[in-house]
């Protein structure tokens, strides 16, 4: 336990908790997710004092998912849990954020430093006097840790953790003991914002890499651009958009990179996922003699089971901490600076056109006469026609995650999915966080597509959406069980079955006002098409939900 700082030694004394929450406010956080617990209660009192507000979730796992969704829209998020039981409930969600490069500040209220030092037998412990065990569990899913045990170090550790969270785009773990909440630190530091800038590349090294890239780029006969998730996570979309528009090269995205580029551009060709690619996409990508691969994550789901057929000899990889040109790797060279100079110096390139993505429904699927059941081949292109500019689209790990590949987005759409971590139920919590962020930023329309199995894992978060006055449109795709698992193994196995809920009744169960929410059930293409044409439904002026099995339940708030 550190000694107190005398108030007389400080120009502008401020409590540790206030300092922490003011720093979060400065980096863009407004809504703080989490649950109260006796080890964090006093700290929570500081949230409204610092310009933030408490969201309040139904459980810590959902709160973690929600913080993840919020961060993907706002840029960074915060969650507060309590020691042991609370933080461990959130740990799956935090691991997902680490896996997928999402910046979440996880604040854990812990027992007092005195209690920890004396090894007291407290509730929410393992009863062995070890107060480090839970922090150790979080160590490998946090890019930085800050244990605020000493007021002399607290402000510095807070600034360090928040900077690392932003720059590395991964979760950080901060412990706040009960007896540290009201300790004093220097508030004058708050006048100087945390430096969130990325380290500059060594100029000579950067210039060399740019020259090497340009040599291969100018020699290429049919180069293409392939954009993946880390282009989004590491904030190089401005450079990516400029490269795409100025080069006029055919541009593709991976499943995790969906929405990274403007899909209305004539050079946008669709989603490349190896054998899972859209028609014409695989042939064009794999026949290219040079692929500019930006922010790639070559996981199994992102590559349709590692079915990429592109050679490293024809690939240049741009990443947050290195560039790889064919088999030569240049560590410590960040992609931002390299991309900016490539754009400035590339001049005219050899351009061979590629396929153009669209939302046209195949002729054999266009019939929407009475009793024509909803098919994926019809639904996803039709949904793409219904989407609007700047929508936020969340898809669950499952059929929706794969179906969205067939949809060409309007300009400005933000896509949220969890392709790498793949925790089912994630999307419902993420929808709450994304919708909350959208509300803070001007009420962008937020739309969730989730299977019935996944929805049942985290459906309680609809309650938080109602309480916060959020207005997402939730499509519950009813396949009567875990469909992806059925196709992996056990098509008719009982372990892939679920109890069927009365989804249309859930709004009332969670306390939604009947005049501020609507539910729909559609079973046919015709019913779904009529719903898409309904201006009242499309305006998203209340929470809405829809479903089918072939039934589609639509919950609308």
């Amino acid at each position: 336990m550190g000694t107190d700082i005398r108030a007389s030694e400080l120009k502008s004394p401020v409590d540790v908790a206030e300092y922490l929450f003011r720093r979060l406010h400065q980096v863009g956080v407004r809504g703080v997710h989490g649950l109260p617990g006796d080890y964090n209660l006093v700290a929570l009192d500081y949230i409204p004092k610092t310009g933030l507000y408490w969201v309040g979730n139904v459980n810590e796992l959902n709160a973690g998912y929600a913080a993840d969704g919020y961060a993907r829209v706002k840029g960074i998020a915060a969650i507060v849990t309590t020691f042991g039981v609370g933080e461990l409930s959130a740990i799956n969600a935090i691991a997902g954020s680490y896996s997928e490069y999402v910046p979440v500040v996880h604040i854990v209220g812990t027992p007092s430093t005195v209690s920890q030092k004396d090894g007291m037998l407290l509730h929410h412990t393992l009863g062995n006097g070890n107060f480090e065990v839970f922090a150790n569990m979080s160590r490998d899913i946090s890019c930085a840790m800050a244990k605020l045990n000493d007021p002399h170090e607290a402000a510095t550790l807070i600034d360090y953790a928040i900077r690392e969270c932003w720059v590395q785009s991964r979760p950080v773990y901060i412990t706040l003991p009960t007896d540290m909440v009201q300790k004093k630190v220097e508030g004058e530091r708050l006048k100087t914002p945390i430096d969130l800038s990325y380290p500059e590349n060594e100029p000579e090294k950067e210039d060399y890499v740019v020259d090497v890239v340009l040599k291969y780029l100018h020699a290429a006969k049919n180069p293409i651009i392939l954009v993946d998730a880390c282009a989004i996570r590491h904030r190089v979309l401005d450079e990516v958009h400029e490269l795409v528009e100025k080069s006029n090269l055919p541009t593709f995205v991976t499943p995790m990179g969906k929405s990274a580029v403007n899909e209305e551009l004539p050079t946008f060709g669709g989603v490349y996922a190896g054998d899972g690619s859209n028609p014409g996409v695989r042939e064009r990508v794999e026949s290219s003699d040079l692929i500019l691969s930006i922010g790639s994550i070559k996981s199994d789901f992102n590559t349709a089971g590692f079915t990429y057929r592109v050679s490293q000899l024809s690939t240049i990889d741009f990443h947050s901490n290195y560039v790889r040109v064919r088999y030569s790797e240049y560590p410590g060279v960040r992609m931002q600076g390299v991309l900016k100079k490539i754009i400035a110096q590339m001049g005219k390139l050899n351009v061979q056109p590629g396929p153009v993505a669209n939302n046209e429904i195949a002729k054999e699927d266009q019939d929407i006469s009475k009793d024509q059941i909803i098919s994926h081949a019809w639904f996803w292109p039709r949904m793409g026609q219904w989407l609007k500019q700047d929508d936020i689209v969340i898809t669950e790990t499952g059929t929706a995650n794969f179906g969205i590949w067939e949809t060409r987005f309007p300009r400005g759409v933000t896509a949220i999915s969890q392709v790498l971590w793949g925790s089912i139920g994630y999307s419902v919590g993420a929808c709450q966080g994304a919708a909350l962020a959208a509300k803070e930023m001007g009420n962008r329309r937020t739309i969730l597509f989730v299977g019935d199995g996944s929805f049942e894992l985290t459906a309680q978060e609809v309650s938080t959406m109602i309480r916060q006055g959020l207005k997402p449109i939730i499509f519950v795709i009813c396949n009567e069980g875990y469909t992806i698992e059925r196709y992996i193994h056990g098509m008719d196995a009982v372990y892939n079955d679920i109890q069927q809920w009365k989804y249309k009744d859930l709004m009332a169960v969670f306390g939604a006002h009947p005049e501020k929410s609507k539910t729909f059930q559609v079973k046919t293409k015709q019913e779904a098409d009529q719903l898409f044409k309904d201006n009242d439904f499309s305006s998203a002026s209340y929470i809405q939900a829809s479903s089918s099995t072939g039934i589609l339940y639509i919950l609308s708030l």
Side-chain angles (χ1 to χ4, degrees):
M1 183 180 76
T3 58
D4 290 356
I5 304 175
R6 291 183 181 179
S8 60
E9 299 176 11
L10 303 172
K11 293 181 180 179
S12 179
V14 63
D15 293 356
V16 169
E18 180 177 350
Y19 185 93
L20 171 58
F21 289 126
R22 288 202 182 280
R23 279 305 202 195
L24 289 174
H25 186 280
Q26 289 178 354
V27 296
V29 174
R30 294 297 180 269
V32 178
H33 291 87
L35 274 85
D38 56 345
Y39 293 130
N40 66 28
L41 291 175
V42 176
L44 298 184
D45 288 338
Y46 289 81
I47 288 176
K49 300 176 184 177
T50 54
L52 306 176
Y53 64 92
W54 179 246
V55 178
N57 302 87
V58 293
N59 61 56
E60 290 87 355
L61 177 60
N62 283 5
Y65 290 153
D68 183 295
Y70 183 97
R72 294 187 194 222
V73 177
K74 282 295 293 282
I76 193 168
I79 174 176
V80 180
T81 63
T82 197
F83 181 72
V85 293
E87 60 180 306
L88 294 190
S89 181
I91 202 167
N92 171 33
I94 299 298
S97 298
Y98 186 89
S99 170
E100 301 225 348
Y101 290 92
V102 181
V104 175
V105 178
H106 184 192
I107 302 161
V108 180
T110 68
S112 69
T113 56
V114 174
S115 298
Q116 294 186 50
K117 182 180 179 181
D118 292 344
M120 296 179 69
L121 189 62
L122 299 180
H123 62 287
H124 299 342
T125 70
L126 299 180
N128 59 3
N130 184 352
F131 288 88
E132 296 297 318
V133 61
F134 307 130
N136 290 337
M137 291 180 186
S138 289
R139 187 175 303 279
D140 289 338
I141 54 169
S142 306
C143 69
M145 303 187 79
K147 297 179 180 180
L148 308 183
N149 296 329
D150 185 341
H152 291 86
E153 301 174 344
T156 299
L157 290 175
I158 290 168
D159 291 358
Y160 162 75
I162 292 175
R163 171 176 164 74
E164 291 304 303
C165 183
W166 180 271
V167 171
Q168 295 194 43
S169 194
R170 276 182 155 163
V172 294
Y173 179 90
I174 299 176
T175 60
L176 181 57
T178 56
D179 59 344
M180 286 293 298
V181 171
Q182 297 176 314
K183 298 296 185 185
K184 303 297 182 182
V185 296
E186 181 57 78
E188 283 291 304
R189 294 174 60 107
L190 293 170
K191 295 180 180 179
T192 304
I194 298 172
D195 180 10
L196 301 179
S197 62
Y198 295 104
E200 296 288 334
N201 292 328
E202 182 183 333
E204 186 176 21
K205 193 173 185 180
E206 180 178 271
D207 289 340
Y208 177 80
V209 173
V210 170
D211 288 343
V212 173
V213 171
L214 288 174
K215 181 183 75 171
Y216 288 107
L217 184 56
H218 289 142
K221 302 300 182 184
N222 61 341
I224 62 114
I225 298 170
L226 180 62
V227 186
D228 208 338
C230 280
I232 304 171
R233 306 293 191 270
H234 294 291
R235 305 177 182 90
V236 295
L237 291 189
D238 287 345
E239 291 83 0
V240 167
H241 294 163
E242 189 174 3
L243 176 65
V244 170
E245 293 186 18
K246 287 190 175 181
S247 70
N248 285 316
L249 292 176
T251 300
F252 305 86
V253 296
T254 68
M256 290 183 72
K258 194 84 170 94
S259 82
V261 302
N262 176 9
E263 298 187 8
E264 290 185 343
L265 290 174
T267 53
F268 178 70
V271 174
Y272 175 67
D275 289 351
S277 305
N278 296 345
V281 170
R282 176 180 168 186
E283 292 80 3
R284 181 64 184 87
V285 171
E286 294 177 0
S287 65
S288 172
D289 62 349
L290 184 66
I291 298 172
L292 302 181
S293 174
I294 305 174
S296 69
I297 298 178
K298 295 177 182 177
S299 69
D300 50 357
F301 282 5
N302 206 32
T303 61
F306 304 113
T307 57
Y308 272 23
R309 291 178 176 82
V310 295
S311 171
Q312 188 60 46
L313 284 172
S314 59
T315 303
I316 299 177
D317 291 302
F318 300 89
H319 285 280
S320 62
N321 55 358
Y322 71 91
V323 174
R324 181 186 295 121
V325 182
R326 305 177 82 177
Y327 284 103
S328 298
E329 186 168 313
Y330 302 93
V333 180
R334 297 183 60 87
M335 56 184 161
Q336 278 97 337
V338 173
L339 288 172
K340 286 178 181 178
K341 289 184 177 179
I342 289 171
I343 293 164
Q345 301 175 33
M346 65 184 174
K348 185 175 177 57
L349 305 175
N350 295 315
V351 178
Q352 296 294 327
V356 178
N358 59 66
N359 285 318
E360 295 177 4
I361 299 171
K363 187 175 180 179
E364 61 270 21
D365 297 306
Q366 291 179 0
D367 184 7
I368 61 170
S369 58
K370 189 176 181 181
D371 299 329
Q372 284 286 318
I373 64 170
I374 299 170
S375 65
H376 285 283
W378 176 85
F379 179 75
W380 296 106
R382 179 65 184 91
M383 188 272 293
Q385 298 169 9
W386 172 75
L387 289 177
K388 298 179 180 180
Q389 183 172 321
D390 297 325
D391 280 346
I392 299 171
V393 178
I394 303 110
T395 51
E396 177 59 61
T397 299
T399 52
N401 229 347
F402 294 98
I404 204 71
W405 300 359
E406 306 300 326
T407 300
R408 183 182 184 182
F409 288 157
R411 176 191 293 268
V413 167
T414 297
I416 296 175
S417 62
Q418 203 186 50
V419 175
L420 178 54
W421 186 244
S423 183
I424 64 172
Y426 157 83
S427 67
V428 183
C431 177
Q432 183 266 297
L436 191 75
K439 182 180 178 181
E440 294 176 6
M441 300 172 72
N443 266 330
R444 296 168 64 186
R445 197 170 64 159
T446 305
I447 304 153
L448 166 64
F449 298 93
V450 58
D452 50 358
S454 295
F455 181 76
E456 291 189 7
L457 267 74
T458 48
Q460 313 99 303
E461 208 54 35
V462 174
S463 175
T464 308
M465 299 178 202
I466 295 169
R467 187 157 67 94
Q468 290 293 334
L470 307 179
K471 302 173 182 178
I473 300 175
I474 303 171
F475 290 81
V476 182
I477 304 168
C478 294
N479 296 314
E480 299 183 345
Y482 301 118
T483 302
I484 294 297
E485 284 78 5
R486 290 193 196 281
Y487 279 93
I488 295 172
H489 181 78
M491 180 61 71
D492 300 312
V494 67
Y495 48 72
N496 284 326
D497 296 337
I498 61 171
Q499 173 66 26
Q500 290 302 296
W501 289 2
K502 295 181 179 179
Y503 296 100
K504 287 187 67 176
D505 296 339
L506 287 180
M507 291 295 191
V509 169
F510 290 132
H513 193 286
E515 294 181 4
K516 296 182 179 179
S517 64
K518 286 191 177 181
T519 60
F520 308 85
Q521 179 177 330
V522 295
K523 300 181 180 181
T524 67
K525 292 179 182 178
Q526 188 177 83
E527 291 172 345
D529 191 65
Q530 289 172 349
L531 192 63
F532 283 134
K533 293 177 180 177
D534 185 328
N535 290 331
D536 188 42
F537 167 73
S538 298
S539 68
S541 56
Y542 36 73
I543 187 168
Q544 303 180 100
S546 168
S547 112
S548 99
T549 133
I551 299 176
L552 189 64
Y553 288 96
I554 302 164
L555 311 177
S556 179
L557 287 170

